[in-house]
Amino acid sequence: MNSIHVIPVSPASERFADADHWCAFGAQWESGDSKEIECLSVVDETHDVKTFTFRCPDYHALAYEPGQFLTVSPVIGGESVSRCYTLSSTPTRPFSFSITVKRVPGGSVSNWLHDNLRAGHSLVASGPAGNFTPVAGPSRKMLYLSAGSGVTPLMAMTRAAADLYAELDIVFVHSARTPKDIIFRAELGRMEGSMAEMRTLFFCEGLGDEPEWNGPIGRLSIEQLQRQIPDFKEREVFTCGPKGYMDATRALLEKAGFDMARYHQESFDISTEGIVEPALIPAVLGQPQDTFTVRLARSGREFTMSAEQTVLSAAKKAGAIVPSSCSQGVCGTCKTAVLEGTVEMNHNGGIRQREIDKGMRLLCCSRPTSDLVIDL
Ligand SMILES: Cc1cc2nc3c(=O)[nH]c(=O)nc-3n(C[C@H](O)[C@H](O)[C@H](O)COP(=O)(O)OP(=O)(O)OC[C@H]3O[C@@H](n4cnc5c(N)ncnc54)[C@H](O)[C@@H]3O)c2cc1C
Ligand code: FES
């Protein structure tokens, strides 16, 4: 069982011969709605990266800021599994939109999308959401730093700037394992040629099967930064990539004396590295002061958790099925009503104030400050 339904599609020539199809343009997909989106095409970007392009039902436009993401929820093995994917397309062309997905070895959703999703299939998606957009740091001079699939939000921002003739001064630095792993290499090259003040810099860790590669080998260093982008301190920096890459980039900029108030980053990393997650303490052992009892209202299940754990991880360890994706308080997938008790929530934009006012909380970034009853 999976969530893909094949929509009987009449040929485009027939559809667009019907005036209703043209009249439908203009309506918008309400942000936050969950909808079935139709896959229009699947394109290989590299050997392990594909771009999936979609449209909304009824030809509605999708309004988003470049850098925002959708949460897609295919049903895999009978279970709906949610993951966030940045819209790599430009919001200036809102009637079709794309996500660009890298296969993660052993990963459930990325592999499922690569192996199963085809043009004509549909998929449940919600969003768009996210704060990693130029609105967070508007500037004429940008420095985009990405590695691997972290290229997607920066590609969306660059495509939007190109489409709007925004005349931004963009230095687009991308790091890849080998030249053949550079995502969007040809298009970035074309944009560099057509945008007056855009420059690309690709760093590869090795040559792979392209021995004629004559770009820089290795990682971005302070010396490279100072030599290649001497005005880097005048730029707004947006960084996206694996955790190790972002930690190294942040450290490098700090060391180089960059004003970190102008630094923005988004992590695609779903690991809970760094979060202290002590083992669950069985309720029968008594209850020290820093532990709380949580009751799941629907199943009646009860467990005790430490004040340092997130409610999401404790509930999962206790066997509850809680939809989740980013684990960072950005996507909203784990939004759940807290019926009794209080939590401390440190979210990153995945919930609105009116939802908080109604008692909803993001369990992935909430820690208990009292005993709880939650709507699970
Ligand atoms: C805001 C945001 C935007 C994102 N945008 C993009 C994007 O544009 N493009 C993109 O490609 N990705 C993006 N991601 C990452 C994406 O959401 C997924 O995390 C990624 O595709 C991996 O999902 P998966 O289901 O394939 O892997 P998962 O099943 O979640 O597995 C992740 C990792 O855990 C390992 N793992 C899984 N199960 C086990 C197990 N039982 N034991 C040990 N290890 C295990 C896997 O091997 C893998 O290394 C984004 C993430 C966020 C938060
Ligand atoms: S899992 Fe994304 S907000 Fe909680």
Side-chain angles (χ1 to χ4, degrees):
M1 262 296 280
N2 61 50
S3 69
I4 285 187
H5 308 295
V6 179
I7 298 173
V9 199
S10 52
S13 54
E14 268 176 41
R15 278 185 275 160
F16 287 98
D18 174 351
D20 285 349
H21 281 294
W22 294 107
C23 294
F25 295 122
Q28 274 200 3
W29 178 4
E30 285 256 329
S31 165
D33 279 4
S34 185
K35 287 266 161 62
E36 278 209 358
I37 54 177
E38 182 193 340
C39 180
L40 300 173
S41 72
V42 182
V43 169
D44 286 319
E45 301 289 354
T46 70
H47 62 104
D48 63 354
V49 176
K50 286 184 195 287
T51 290
F52 302 87
T53 298
F54 302 90
R55 70 168 175 82
C56 292
D58 308 324
Y59 298 92
H60 283 186
L62 178 67
Y64 59 101
E65 292 167 23
Q68 287 193 305
F69 61 87
L70 287 183
T71 303
V72 303
S73 306
V75 178
I76 304 174
E79 203 185 302
S80 171
V81 192
S82 298
R83 294 286 181 272
C84 308
Y85 291 102
T86 302
L87 289 149
S88 52
S89 47
T90 168
T92 51
R93 304 180 193 192
F95 296 104
S96 62
F97 46 89
S98 306
I99 58 172
T100 299
V101 180
K102 186 177 172 68
R103 264 191 203 273
V104 173
S108 52
V109 175
S110 59
N111 287 288
W112 187 90
L113 292 170
H114 273 244
D115 296 338
N116 295 282
L117 191 65
R118 302 285 176 266
H121 294 169
S122 65
L123 193 62
V124 171
S126 63
N131 300 325
F132 186 69
T133 82
V135 176
S139 171
R140 208 190 76 73
K141 294 184 79 166
M142 297 290 196
L143 172 55
Y144 296 154
L145 300 169
S146 66
S149 59
V151 71
T152 51
L154 308 171
M155 188 63 180
M157 293 180 205
T158 309
R159 282 174 166 161
D163 240 19
L164 292 167
Y165 292 82
E167 294 182 5
L168 296 188
D169 175 344
I170 297 173
V171 181
F172 197 114
V173 183
H174 180 65
S175 297
R177 273 196 304 268
T178 70
K180 79 166 185 188
D181 292 301
I182 300 172
I183 307 169
F184 305 130
R185 181 174 167 185
E187 187 181 342
L188 283 166
R190 281 197 300 277
M191 289 199 289
E192 184 174 29
S194 62
M195 292 168 76
E197 292 181 278
M198 181 195 166
R199 202 150 57 87
T200 59
L201 262 173
F202 298 130
F203 285 83
C204 293
E205 284 181 23
L207 295 174
D209 54 10
E210 203 173 308
E212 65 280 15
W213 170 258
N214 58 10
I217 291 285
R219 297 188 173 181
L220 180 67
S221 61
I222 290 201
E223 294 69 40
Q224 290 270 15
L225 182 72
Q226 286 164 340
R227 192 169 68 245
Q228 305 269 14
I229 318 156
D231 62 350
F232 73 94
K233 287 188 185 168
E234 295 164 27
R235 295 175 181 271
E236 201 76 21
V237 173
F238 283 78
T239 308
C240 188
K243 188 177 181 304
Y245 170 81
M246 290 201 306
D247 289 349
T249 306
R250 174 182 261 280
L252 182 144
L253 287 167
E254 274 170 351
K255 202 168 167 198
F258 183 76
D259 171 10
M260 296 309 279
R262 305 188 68 195
Y263 174 85
H264 313 270
Q265 71 169 41
E266 178 156 83
S267 169
F268 284 1
D269 209 316
I270 52 150
S271 72
T272 48
E273 241 173 276
I275 298 175
V276 186
E277 294 287 10
L280 277 179
I281 299 149
V284 288
L285 292 183
Q287 197 170 312
Q289 282 211 315
D290 63 345
T291 64
F292 297 102
T293 301
V294 180
R295 186 160 60 81
L296 308 182
R298 294 181 198 213
S299 62
R301 191 175 292 163
E302 198 166 292
F303 58 90
T304 304
M305 66 176 287
S306 146
E308 288 161 28
Q309 286 178 290
T310 65
V311 182
L312 178 73
S313 81
K316 281 189 172 175
K317 279 182 187 158
I321 294 170
V322 196
S324 66
S325 179
C326 70
S327 302
Q328 302 167 29
V330 290
C331 71
T333 312
C334 63
K335 207 175 291 166
T336 305
V338 173
L339 304 172
E340 285 174 31
T342 52
V343 295
E344 190 185 315
M345 178 172 67
N346 290 311
H347 72 91
N348 286 305
I351 189 165
R352 297 185 183 129
Q353 188 56 47
R354 64 169 185 265
E355 294 169 319
I356 297 173
D357 295 343
K358 284 184 186 159
M360 305 300 284
R361 297 290 183 269
L362 298 178
L363 301 188
C364 70
C365 53
S366 292
R367 291 176 170 76
T369 48
S370 76
D371 292 343
L372 301 174
V373 179
I374 51 183
D375 189 19
L376 281 175

